[in-house]
């Protein structure tokens, strides 16, 4: 028996009829993951960051944070990329969230920290970058690493003190709740960081260049979208005399998505919107309103729509009989 309610999402009713078969044909995320490579022009974004930092010395930001803010804006405006499939059913995530890993410094023994961050769809640009920058700053402090970080603390306790058979039982139980039931409790979702709208990996920050790296999707959790972006590379255009005519800053990004949650056209339109935001980052300063975000179709609205379609079909058949 399928559940109709979850703790972290709402049941989707506006799914095309043909799409309902996808979860039965492609049962796992790893069966349906597709990869997109995109190169964004971030020339104006770099300029925007410099101008912002000059005019806001108490709230400085960085290119990666503006990139994150742009991605969150796209997910808010294109909510179908914020869906997931559990128990062969489409769900619309209630929150706007992300996870990414932070290291205190680039050394082998430095622990990593990762916790989900939650955002308001209607939050200002200042509020969004404040959350991200504060998390990075706090994660790089000594007192929030290791045992003092909730995510690390929870996982360390589970692996350290539970016997193997009991740990396997716990993982299976919560995995079953997540896929077949009403979802995992919030403390589990906060602990693993894989119940978010998108997981982001900034491999440019650790010195990887021209890697064209794609991240896989996890069967655990509900995250259906991963993004990997590299460091910026600058290209120059020269005339025949060797004089520089123009320069352009480019950033390579790789997306991994569960193709069942939306069609390729919808996703590419979302990528195009992200590209436009990075070319015109000033638009991030405009707060969203409820009119900007597509309406979520409720069960009553869906039933009403189906009844109307049936009535139109019946009326069409009657007209054909009369004319014949």
């Amino acid at each position: 028996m399928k559940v109709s309610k979850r703790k972290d999402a709402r049941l989707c009713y506006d799914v095309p009829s043909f799409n309902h078969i996808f979860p039965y044909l492609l049962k796992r995320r790893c069966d349906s993951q597709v990869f997109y490579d995109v190169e964004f022009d971030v020339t104006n974004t770099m300029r925007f960051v410099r101008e912002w930092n000059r005019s806001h010395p108490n709230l400085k930001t960085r290119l990666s944070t503006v990139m994150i803010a742009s991605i969150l804006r796209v997910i808010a405006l294109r909510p179908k990329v914020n869906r997931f499939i559990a128990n062969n059913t489409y769900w619309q995530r209630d929150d706007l969230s992300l996870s990414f890993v932070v290291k205190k410094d680039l050394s082998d023994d430095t622990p990593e920290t990762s916790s989900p961050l939650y955002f308001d769809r209607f939050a200002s640009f200042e509020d969004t970058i404040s959350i991200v920058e504060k998390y990075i700053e706090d994660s790089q402090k000594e007192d929030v690493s290791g045992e003092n970080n909730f995510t690390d603390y929870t996982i360390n306790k589970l692996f350290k003190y539970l016997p193997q058979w009991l740990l396997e039982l716990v993982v299976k139980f919560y995995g079953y709740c997540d896929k077949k039931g009403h979802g995992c409790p919030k403390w589990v979702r906060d602990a693993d960081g894989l119940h978010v709208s998108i997981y982001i990996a900034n491999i440019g920050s650790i010195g990887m260049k021209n890697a064209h790296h794609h991240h896989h999707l996890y069967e655990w959790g509900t995250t259906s979208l991963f993004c990997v972006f590299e460091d910026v590379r600058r290209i120059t255009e020269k005339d025949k005399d060797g004089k520089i005519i123009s320069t352009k800053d480019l950033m390579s990004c790789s997306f991994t998505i569960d193709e069942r949650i939306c069609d390729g056209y919808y996703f590419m339109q979302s990528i195009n919107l992200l590209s436009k935001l990075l070319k015109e980052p000033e638009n991030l300063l405009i707060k969203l309103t409820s009119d900007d975000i597509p309406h979520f179709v409720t069960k009553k609205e869906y039933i009403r729509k189906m009844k109307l379609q049936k009535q139109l079909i019946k009326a069409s058949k009657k007209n054909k009989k009369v004319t014949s």
Side-chain angles (χ1 to χ4, degrees):
M1 181 178 178
K2 287 188 177 182
V3 297
S4 58
K5 292 183 179 180
R6 282 181 62 99
K7 300 174 182 178
D8 56 353
R10 293 168 288 172
L11 189 62
C12 295
Y13 294 96
D14 62 337
V15 179
S17 300
F18 184 76
N19 288 33
H20 284 289
I21 198 174
F22 287 167
Y24 298 95
L25 298 177
L26 304 169
K27 297 182 181 296
R28 302 176 301 170
R29 289 193 192 98
C30 62
D31 295 330
S32 55
Q33 62 185 8
V34 292
F35 309 101
Y36 293 87
D37 288 326
V38 189
E39 195 166 51
F40 294 112
D41 183 348
V42 294
T43 308
N44 292 338
T45 314
M46 298 276 283
R47 174 189 52 77
F48 174 80
V49 170
R50 290 192 295 268
E51 292 178 356
W52 175 272
N53 289 339
R54 281 198 297 266
S55 58
H56 298 78
N58 296 326
L59 184 57
K60 290 188 176 183
T61 188
R62 64 196 83 192
L63 176 63
S64 60
T65 303
V66 177
M67 181 73 177
I68 288 172
S70 302
I71 291 173
L72 291 172
R73 176 64 62 92
V74 171
I75 295 175
L77 293 171
R78 310 281 292 174
K80 286 186 181 180
V81 298
N82 199 13
R83 292 182 174 182
F84 62 89
I85 293 175
N87 198 19
N88 300 324
T89 306
Y90 286 79
W91 298 92
Q92 181 70 52
R93 198 182 310 276
D94 288 330
D95 58 55
L96 179 62
S97 54
L98 65 86
S99 288
F100 61 92
V101 172
V102 178
K103 284 179 73 74
K104 178 178 171 60
D105 57 62
L106 298 180
S107 62
D108 292 342
D109 299 326
T110 302
E112 295 179 342
T113 60
S114 175
S115 295
L117 302 179
Y118 298 94
F119 301 84
D120 185 348
R121 290 174 176 83
F122 307 105
S124 65
F125 176 72
E126 291 88 341
D127 292 337
T128 300
I129 64 172
S130 293
I131 293 173
V132 177
E133 293 292 346
K134 185 177 185 304
Y135 172 69
I136 295 174
E137 181 182 349
D138 290 346
S139 298
Q140 292 178 335
K141 291 180 181 178
E142 197 71 40
D143 57 352
V144 296
S145 63
E147 295 294 323
N148 293 321
N149 178 269
F150 177 74
T151 303
D152 296 333
Y153 177 82
T154 304
I155 295 176
N156 287 340
K157 289 294 182 183
L158 285 174
F159 279 92
K160 187 174 182 179
Y161 295 107
L162 288 183
Q164 186 174 352
W165 66 269
L166 184 55
L167 179 61
E168 183 178 3
L169 190 63
V170 169
V171 172
K172 284 184 177 180
F173 171 74
Y174 284 116
Y176 179 84
C177 291
D178 206 21
K179 289 185 178 180
K180 304 291 185 180
H182 298 282
C184 287
K186 192 173 185 303
W187 73 267
V188 175
R189 287 182 269 132
D190 287 344
D192 63 35
L194 290 171
H195 289 79
V196 292
S197 307
I198 184 170
Y199 203 108
I200 294 176
N202 180 9
I203 62 174
S205 64
I206 58 175
M208 293 184 68
K209 295 182 179 180
N210 302 320
H212 300 291
H213 176 78
H214 294 90
H215 206 292
H216 62 88
L217 296 180
Y218 287 86
E219 293 305 318
W220 176 269
T222 59
T223 302
S224 301
L225 182 59
F226 270 76
C227 173
V228 177
F229 52 83
E230 302 177 8
D231 206 356
V232 176
R233 66 183 184 90
R234 175 164 292 183
I235 61 172
T236 58
E237 183 180 354
K238 300 180 180 180
D239 59 18
K240 58 183 179 180
D241 297 325
K243 185 178 179 180
I244 296 177
I245 302 174
S246 63
T247 60
K248 186 182 294 185
D249 295 314
L250 301 177
M251 174 185 283
S252 296
C253 291
S254 302
F255 292 90
T256 308
I257 186 173
D258 183 346
E259 69 167 336
R260 300 172 297 177
I261 64 173
C262 67
D263 59 53
Y265 178 79
Y266 186 94
F267 184 71
M268 286 312 300
Q269 288 298 102
S270 304
I271 294 296
N272 291 338
L273 176 58
L274 177 57
S275 178
K276 184 178 179 181
L277 278 173
L278 293 173
K279 289 180 179 178
E280 303 171 0
E282 295 80 9
N283 289 330
L284 293 172
L285 302 178
I286 303 173
K287 291 184 65 174
L288 295 180
T289 66
S290 56
D291 294 333
D292 298 318
I293 297 177
H295 174 68
F296 178 77
V297 179
T298 63
K299 183 177 181 179
K300 288 183 178 180
E301 291 170 339
Y302 177 75
I303 293 174
R304 193 183 306 123
K305 180 182 177 181
M306 291 297 101
K307 286 182 178 179
L308 180 60
Q309 284 185 357
K310 287 182 179 179
Q311 291 173 0
L312 292 174
I313 292 172
K314 287 181 179 180
S316 177
K317 288 182 178 179
K318 286 182 179 180
N319 291 334
K320 286 183 179 179
K321 288 181 179 179
V322 172
T323 55
S324 61

